């Protein structure tokens, strides 16, 4: 486990002296001590530049992620090939991206559950998917299928907006009996997307997802849900509010999804609303940066030394130096909030915002897993006197998540090609100290 931020040398295992509180460090087992597990629809992103007429002609809706029938997919693909419109092909899927990015950042294990072709052809989509997934992402629990994985046509329109057309192949064929309870039991988090319930009647993916949630609840593993797109939420906001209340501890969304869920356009106010149902909220807001909200024990709250920020909740970031806790773990829960503007104001030129939000979530997952890893190795540490969800304060997680989003925006693929540069491990150099 590579530690997030500067803690690697500052608070973590001392560099010069052995700390008597530390349990003797055991050689790392093959499978590692801490991991995250997620379910996804295995998808390859096929990116192409098209005009708005193309989007309308194929019955798609701008900015939306829609599932298309096989005959439409074949015609669409043939036209992209004929006119030489395909610019990039990447391994995709919102959770696949998140787990890959988590493994790149933490240099540690994540486990992906989903489907994979039994017969893999060199150069084919499944092959590309596997080749472009971190070697730290454990793919041993994928369920084999006799057919193709999914394709996500990522169509970039005249205005730069992305429209997704999903050709599902056999991506929704994951069955409940292929959800390994032991993998969920030992995980720091179970990561899901709202896309998993968007299936044809009879497809087993929603039942597999519910099975995983049942195991997570049985073993007190926090369930993390990322909201996908505003359209999936807007189809039935009431369903999603109940889903969050009943099953989810942590939600990741952008400001549009937040509005579809709550009816509130102000991201801070929407985060506050969502805290009625979950314990921790990450809300990215494009050029406005990102917000986080959670709970902490009243007596353990820590005051920020950053300037206090105005908003619908006055001086809302007052206790952003506190660490996040699940509401159920607090005797006197206090709501805490934080905000950060885009790192360096954002890259000079953004080619593609694909995966920027998934990147932020990967950073949050890294911080959560680092907390479990530290608790396992230094159980007597003062850091674990209470049950916390994150290793770092809300403010520090914001910095880290924001930095990772910047890295994703600065490249073309939604998947990090490497972890953050070592030199910046402190996240305080350059920009932060200015
Ligand atoms: N136009 C932009 N300028 C600067 N930063 C941006 C811009 N768009 C996104 N970001 C950064 O990327 C993060 C995630 O972006 P966002 O577009 O909200 O995610 P999503 O991909 O989930 O919609 C933001 O919190 C911000 O830090
Ligand atoms: N599992 C699914 N992933 C999907 C679907 N539609 C799109 N996507 C993936 O999202 C990312 C981009 O994420 P974003 O946060 O920037 O919007 C991209 O790589 C797609 O593969 C879907 O239906 N299911």
């Amino acid at each position: 486990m590579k530690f997030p931020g500067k803690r690697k040398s500052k608070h973590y295992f001392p560099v010069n002296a052995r700390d008597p509180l530390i349990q003797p460090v055991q050689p790392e087992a093959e499978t590692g001590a801490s991991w995250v597990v997620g379910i996804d629809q295995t998808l390859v992103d096929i990116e192409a530049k098209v005009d708005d007429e193309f989007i309308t002609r194929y019955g798609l809706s701008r900015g939306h992620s829609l599932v298309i029938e096989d005959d439409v997919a074949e015609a669409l693909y043939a036209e992209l090939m004929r006119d030489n419109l395909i610019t990039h092909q990447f391994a995709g899927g919102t959770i696949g991206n998140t787990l890959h990015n988590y493994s790149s950042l933490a240099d540690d294990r994540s486990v992906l559950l989903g489907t994979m072709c039994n017969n893999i052809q060199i150069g084919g989509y499944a092959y590309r998917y596997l080749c472009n997934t971190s070697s730290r992402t454990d793919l041993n629990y994928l369920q084999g299928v006799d057919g193709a994985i999914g394709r996500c046509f990522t169509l970039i329109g005249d205005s730069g907006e992305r429209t997704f057309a999903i050709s599902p192949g056999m991506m929704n064929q994951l069955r409940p009996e292929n959800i390994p309870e032991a993998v969920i039991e030992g995980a720091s988090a179970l990561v899901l997307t709202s896309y998993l319930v968007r299936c044809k009647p009879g497809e087993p993916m929603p039942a597999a997802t519910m099975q995983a949630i049942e195991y997570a609840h049985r073993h007190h593993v926090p369930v993390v849900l990322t909201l996908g797109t505003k359209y999936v939420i807007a189809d039935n906001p009431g369903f999603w509010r109940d889903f969050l209340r009943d099953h989810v501890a942590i939600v990741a969304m952008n400001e549009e999804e937040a509005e579809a869920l709550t009816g509130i356009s102000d991201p801070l106010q929407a985060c506050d609303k969502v805290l009625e149902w979950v314990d921790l909220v990450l809300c990215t807001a494009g050029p406005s940066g990102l917000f986080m909200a959670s709970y902490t024990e009243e007596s353990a709250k820590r005051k920020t030394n950053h300037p206090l920020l105005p908003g619908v909740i006055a001086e809302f970031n007052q206790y952003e130096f506190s660490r996040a806790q699940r509401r159920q773990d607090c005797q006197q829960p206090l709501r805490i909030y934080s905000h950060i503007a885009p790192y360096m104001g954002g890259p000079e030129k953004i080619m593609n915002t694909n995966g920027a939000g998934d990147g932020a979530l990967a950073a949050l997952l890294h911080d959560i897993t680092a907390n479990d890893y530290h608790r396992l190795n230094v159980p007597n540490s003062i850091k674990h006197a209470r049950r916390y969800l994150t290793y770092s304060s809300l403010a520090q997680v914001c910095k880290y998540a924001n930095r990772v989003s910047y890295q994703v925006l600065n490249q073309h693929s939604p998947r990090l090609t490497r972890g953050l540069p070592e030199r910046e491990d402190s996240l305080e150099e350059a920009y932060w100290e200015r």
Side-chain angles (χ1 to χ4, degrees), residues 39-46 63-67 90-98 151-154 162-167 171-172 193-196 198 205 226 228-229 232 254 257 284 352-359 408 413-415:
I39 304 183
D40 204 8
Q41 298 159 314
T42 31
L43 281 169
V44 169
D45 290 355
I46 301 174
H64 206 151
S65 166
L66 279 183
V67 179
F90 311 112
T94 187
I95 302 299
N97 293 344
T98 304
R151 288 178 292 175
C152 172
F153 296 102
T154 305
R162 290 168 312 167
T163 300
F164 296 121
I166 305 287
S167 168
M171 71 179 192
N172 289 324
T193 162
S194 57
Y195 288 130
L196 296 175
R198 185 172 66 168
M205 181 60 98
T226 165
T229 74
V232 175
N254 66 25
E257 292 147 14
T284 60
N352 188 337
T353 64
N354 216 6
D358 298 341
V408 174
S413 147
R415 294 187 173 205

Side-chain angles (χ1 to χ4, degrees), residues 228-409:
T229 74
K230 64 177 174 184
Y231 299 99
V232 175
I233 305 305
D235 276 348
N236 194 348
F239 168 85
W240 289 109
R241 289 194 288 264
D242 292 347
F243 191 89
L244 292 180
R245 188 198 55 219
D246 295 341
H247 304 301
V248 175
I250 299 168
V251 69
M253 57 194 182
N254 66 25
E255 79 282 28
E256 292 181 332
E257 292 147 14
E259 184 173 0
L261 180 70
T262 60
I264 301 170
S265 60
D266 180 275
L268 174 63
Q269 200 176 359
C271 286
D272 190 47
K273 181 74 190 164
V274 176
L275 277 187
E276 287 176 19
W277 311 310
V278 304
D279 302 308
L280 194 157
V281 186
L282 168 68
C283 180
T284 60
S288 305
L290 64 89
F291 292 82
M292 287 189 71
S294 188
Y295 289 94
T296 206
E297 185 67 59
E298 164 72 40
S299 58
K301 65 182 189 253
R302 291 193 305 215
K303 268 208 145 140
T304 186
N305 60 21
H306 296 163
L308 294 178
L309 298 173
V312 286
I313 302 166
E315 304 185 337
F316 65 89
N317 63 324
Q318 200 174 160
Y319 297 112
E320 65 185 347
F321 280 12
S322 314
R323 289 165 67 200
Q325 290 185 270
R326 298 191 72 170
R327 184 165 37 175
Q328 70 203 34
D329 294 329
C330 300
Q331 285 179 335
Q332 245 190 298
L334 171 76
R335 291 185 181 206
I336 52 175
Y337 313 87
S338 190
H339 169 261
I340 192 161
Y343 181 68
M344 300 284 209
E348 216 165 286
K349 186 165 174 258
I350 299 178
M351 291 185 285
N352 188 337
T353 64
N354 216 6
D358 298 341
L361 176 58
L364 169 62
L365 292 171
H366 184 191
D367 196 87
I368 289 172
T369 314
N371 190 47
D372 280 351
Y373 183 78
H374 190 269
R375 186 171 42 231
L376 221 66
N377 285 285
V378 198
N380 300 329
S381 162
I382 182 82
K383 286 190 75 76
H384 307 298
R386 286 190 175 76
R387 181 101 196 163
Y388 287 99
L389 199 47
T390 56
Y391 183 80
S392 313
S393 70
L394 219 52
Q396 190 72 15
V397 180
C398 276
K399 280 186 192 176
Y400 186 33
N402 208 37
R403 175 66 186 88
V404 174
S405 287
Y406 177 91
Q407 192 77 8
V408 174
L409 289 174

Side-chain angles (χ1 to χ4, degrees), residues 12-75:
Y12 199 47
F13 299 125
V15 228
N16 302 318
R18 184 172 298 140
D19 187 323
L21 290 177
I22 297 176
Q23 309 277 307
V25 177
Q26 304 299 322
E28 217 171 283
E30 184 96 323
T31 51
S34 307
W35 64 86
V36 288
V37 56
I39 304 183
D40 204 8
Q41 298 159 314
T42 31
L43 281 169
V44 169
D45 290 355
I46 301 174
E47 198 178 295
K49 268 204 121 358
V50 298
D51 54 25
D52 289 346
E53 188 269 332
F54 185 101
I55 306 268
T56 328
R57 192 149 41 82
Y58 282 97
L60 302 169
S61 148
R62 270 181 48 194
H64 206 151
S65 166
L66 279 183
V67 179
I68 53 175
E69 293 299 331
D70 289 348
D71 54 334
V72 180
E74 286 323 313

Side-chain angles (χ1 to χ4, degrees), residues 60-106:
L60 302 169
S61 148
R62 270 181 48 194
H64 206 151
S65 166
L66 279 183
V67 179
I68 53 175
E69 293 299 331
D70 289 348
D71 54 334
V72 180
E74 286 323 313
L76 189 153
Y77 184 62
E79 184 169 343
L80 294 182
M81 289 295 282
R82 188 195 67 204
D83 296 344
N84 215 4
L85 295 175
I86 297 176
T87 51
H88 297 85
Q89 302 197 49
F90 311 112
T94 187
I95 302 299
N97 293 344
T98 304
L99 296 182
H100 166 97
N101 287 341
Y102 164 82
S103 281
S104 306
L105 293 169

